[in-house]
Amino acid sequence: MTQTIAIIGSSWGDEGKGKLVDFVSKTADIAVRFQGGNNAGHTVVVNNKRYKFHLLPSAVIQNKIIVIANGVVIDPAVLFSELEYIRTEGFNPKLIVSSTAHIIFPFHNYIDELEEEHKELHAAGTTKRGIGPCYSDKASRYGIRVFDLIHPEIFRSKWDKLVEVRKRFVESMGGEWNFDIKAIFQQYVEYGKRLEPFVRDTAYYLNEALDQGKRIVFEGAQGSLLCIDHGMYPYGTSSTTWAGGISAGTGISPKRIDKIVGIIKAYTSRVGGGPLPTELHDETGNLIREQGNEYGTTTGRPRRIGWIDLVNLKYACMLNRYDALSISLLDVLGGIKKLKLCVKYIRNGEELDTWPIQSEIIQECNPKYIEMPGWKTLPEEQWSKTAQQGYHALPKEMRDYIETIETYLKVPISFISIGPNRNDSIVRNPIW
Ligand code: IMP
């Protein structure tokens, strides 16, 4: 019996995970975020209304229990503003927060900016939400956790040391330390009071829920290629973004992860630095960006666009050993006569069919493409109707495109998304 499903981005995030999480969590009991923080931007569209989340699991709009587990870094100001937002939208969030998740403070955001400037060429183009600096404090064990926040005397005993090292760091980077530390401390004690009713030891909570037969969805944030270990370092994020991060980020054994579903996009997009071999710097790239509204949910930055890259997707498939794939945004490619799919890289005249991982090598690679005919563009309502009719109603060119990807990646594409709305999807195989 399938009790747990993980939804994992295969590339650089923004693959459309929110929509599949929403669909899968309809028949689940609990949805869990296990890494990252409010650098994420998950969008779900219901009846043409767009809901955006950065920190809360998107399953909140399915009225499921939502868990922010230990692997996540929490900006309490963002957490409370998202709770407020979702309540004003008429939902009643059933939130549980891990006692061991780490806390983002305002100076983390500032340090994020300073570090980005300092790195120059090697800047990742972060979201400047303080994610990396907070994880740095976690690793150096200066970090403050949710448990500390709800016990002001413990928080107090750790606070001065954290402030001291971060102040010195800011000054050493030529920054200005203009933080009212007393006021921040007081404000976070208040946040602690507000957080307390939600706090649990989530490793116990989640394992007990599984013992009782509950179904859990793990909601990945960012994408596999942004992973701190297996992504394109240093142009990624600071957490373990592929399925390998679930156990560390929740306290659930890898043996309890039943199914892993990878989300791929019909093309490539990314924000931030680093080489992108299939990147388009032409009208087609602009067209995809506009048709796909490819602007960051968190920062509003225009996303870099490229053709689908089967070389790096194959790498993501190897890492995650997906049971199934979901492909999104196929409708966005409508109207492009000839589509290109990168099937190999070429470096110094040699063909590579494995992703070189190192950014310095990827920088030297050019894509080798196969070409396929595209499909017509259709109005949104027309795509919705097509989705209701099922897979065989899709244009033949689109089915060929899907099946070519499927054959190359050797993973079944079980979910197909051809529009932003909840119902604009085709399910080819049952999920649970
Ligand atoms: P950070 O996670 O803010 O530290 O940013 C590190 C890198 O990950 C940058 O290239 C960001 O643009 C990228 N990134 C972080 N979160 C997301 C996301 O949710 N979608 C896409 N890219 C992201």
Side-chain angles (χ1 to χ4, degrees):
M1 186 184 74
T2 303
Q3 238 190 312
T4 59
I5 294 183
I7 314 270
I8 303 291
S10 302
S11 313
W12 280 283
D14 312 314
E15 298 96 347
K17 293 179 289 292
K19 190 175 175 190
L20 192 70
V21 169
D22 175 62
F23 174 74
V24 175
S25 54
K26 192 162 60 176
T27 43
D29 301 291
I30 301 170
V32 186
R33 279 269 321 256
F34 56 90
Q35 47 71 228
N38 59 305
N39 47 350
H42 296 168
T43 307
V44 186
V45 183
V46 185
N47 299 329
N48 294 318
K49 186 165 172 53
R50 205 169 267 272
Y51 297 95
K52 288 185 184 178
F53 306 100
H54 300 288
L55 185 56
L56 290 181
S58 2
V60 66
I61 61 169
Q62 288 285 1
N63 280 320
K64 303 298 168 167
I65 295 171
I66 50 168
V67 176
I68 297 180
N70 59 281
V72 176
V73 287
I74 300 177
D75 184 331
V78 175
L79 179 66
F80 290 117
S81 84
E82 284 197 359
L83 284 173
E84 184 72 29
Y85 155 69
I86 202 67
R87 283 188 187 119
T88 56
E89 292 291 341
F91 297 93
N92 178 24
K94 302 179 196 103
L95 173 68
I96 294 178
V97 177
S98 167
S99 58
T100 54
H102 279 249
I103 301 292
I104 299 176
F105 293 96
F107 48 80
H108 285 133
N109 300 41
Y110 181 53
I111 291 168
D112 200 346
E113 277 179 39
L114 286 177
E115 286 182 332
E116 281 286 283
E117 250 172 63
H118 181 252
K119 286 178 188 166
E120 297 177 354
L121 207 63
H122 296 298
T126 71
T127 58
K128 301 196 175 130
R129 298 299 190 263
I131 308 296
C134 182
Y135 277 118
S136 299
D137 285 343
K138 173 177 177 173
S140 62
R141 280 143 291 126
Y142 278 108
I144 305 287
R145 312 204 287 187
V146 168
F147 181 82
D148 305 326
L149 225 54
I150 61 177
H151 295 92
E153 64 298 349
I154 301 176
F155 179 22
R156 174 82 262 165
S157 74
K158 297 181 176 177
W159 178 240
D160 292 344
K161 288 287 176 201
L162 173 64
V163 167
E164 187 190 327
V165 292
R166 282 330 212 161
K167 180 169 184 283
R168 274 197 213 157
F169 181 80
V170 163
E171 287 166 355
S172 75
M173 299 282 279
E176 283 177 33
W177 185 265
N178 288 327
F179 295 99
D180 183 343
I181 286 306
K182 269 194 187 152
I184 295 176
F185 181 82
Q186 216 34 59
Q187 185 184 29
Y188 275 67
V189 169
E190 289 306 310
Y191 285 146
K193 286 185 195 154
R194 287 172 71 189
L195 262 178
E196 195 165 4
F198 304 111
V199 178
R200 301 278 284 265
D201 291 330
T202 48
Y204 275 109
Y205 172 78
L206 293 170
N207 276 289
E208 282 162 14
L210 287 176
D211 295 343
Q212 290 159 13
K214 300 271 196 285
R215 282 175 164 178
I216 299 183
V217 177
F218 300 109
E219 182 173 338
Q222 292 83 48
S224 300
L225 304 179
L226 287 169
C227 177
I228 182 81
D229 282 291
H230 297 286
M232 194 202 280
Y233 191 87
Y235 303 107
T237 191
S238 347
S239 62
T240 303
T241 50
W242 61 290
I246 297 171
S247 292
T250 59
I252 290 176
S253 163
K255 289 184 180 174
R256 296 193 104 167
I257 303 165
D258 298 323
K259 256 192 196 167
I260 304 175
V261 180
I263 316 292
I264 64 172
K265 219 165 171 163
Y267 48 90
T268 299
S269 75
R270 79 154 299 172
V271 276
L276 194 64
T278 65
E279 186 161 13
L280 287 162
H281 297 282
D282 59 7
E283 273 317 299
T284 308
N286 293 339
L287 180 83
I288 297 174
R289 184 176 303 106
E290 295 313 313
Q291 292 197 162
N293 189 27
E294 290 291 355
Y295 293 88
T297 313
T298 304
T299 58
R301 289 178 289 180
R303 294 182 184 137
R304 299 162 67 192
I305 303 294
W307 296 117
I308 192 165
D309 184 335
L310 297 176
V311 180
N312 67 31
L313 288 177
K314 207 169 188 176
Y315 172 73
C317 289
M318 176 194 78
L319 285 181
N320 290 288
R321 222 175 154 74
Y322 294 132
D323 297 282
L325 288 170
S326 169
I327 188 164
S328 58
L329 296 142
L330 283 158
D331 52 309
V332 169
L333 296 183
I336 302 173
K337 286 211 170 66
K338 221 180 254 171
L339 301 173
K340 294 188 182 184
L341 302 85
C342 169
V343 289
K344 283 189 193 326
Y345 285 177
I346 299 171
R347 179 176 178 243
N348 299 333
E350 253 181 62
E351 287 191 353
L352 308 176
D353 51 10
T354 53
W355 197 57
I357 306 170
Q358 315 298 343
S359 59
E360 292 80 3
I361 301 180
I362 297 170
Q363 186 77 54
E364 296 168 356
C365 292
N366 287 311
K368 179 179 172 178
Y369 291 115
I370 56 166
E371 289 186 351
M372 297 190 71
W375 46 88
K376 283 196 194 124
T377 182
L378 290 178
E380 214 172 286
E381 321 79 68
Q382 203 62 39
W383 283 122
S384 296
K385 272 192 199 147
T386 309
Q388 300 319 304
Q389 288 161 11
Y391 186 67
H392 291 285
L394 292 177
K396 180 176 182 316
E397 296 81 4
M398 191 186 276
R399 280 183 280 130
D400 287 345
Y401 189 74
I402 293 168
E403 287 162 29
T404 302
I405 297 169
E406 202 167 42
T407 306
Y408 189 88
L409 298 178
K410 300 191 176 77
V411 184
I413 297 182
S414 298
F415 310 95
I416 294 156
S417 169
I418 50 172
N421 266 297
R422 233 181 209 170
N423 297 330
D424 303 340
S425 304
I426 295 169
V427 182
R428 286 167 88 199
N429 304 302
I431 178 81
W432 287 99

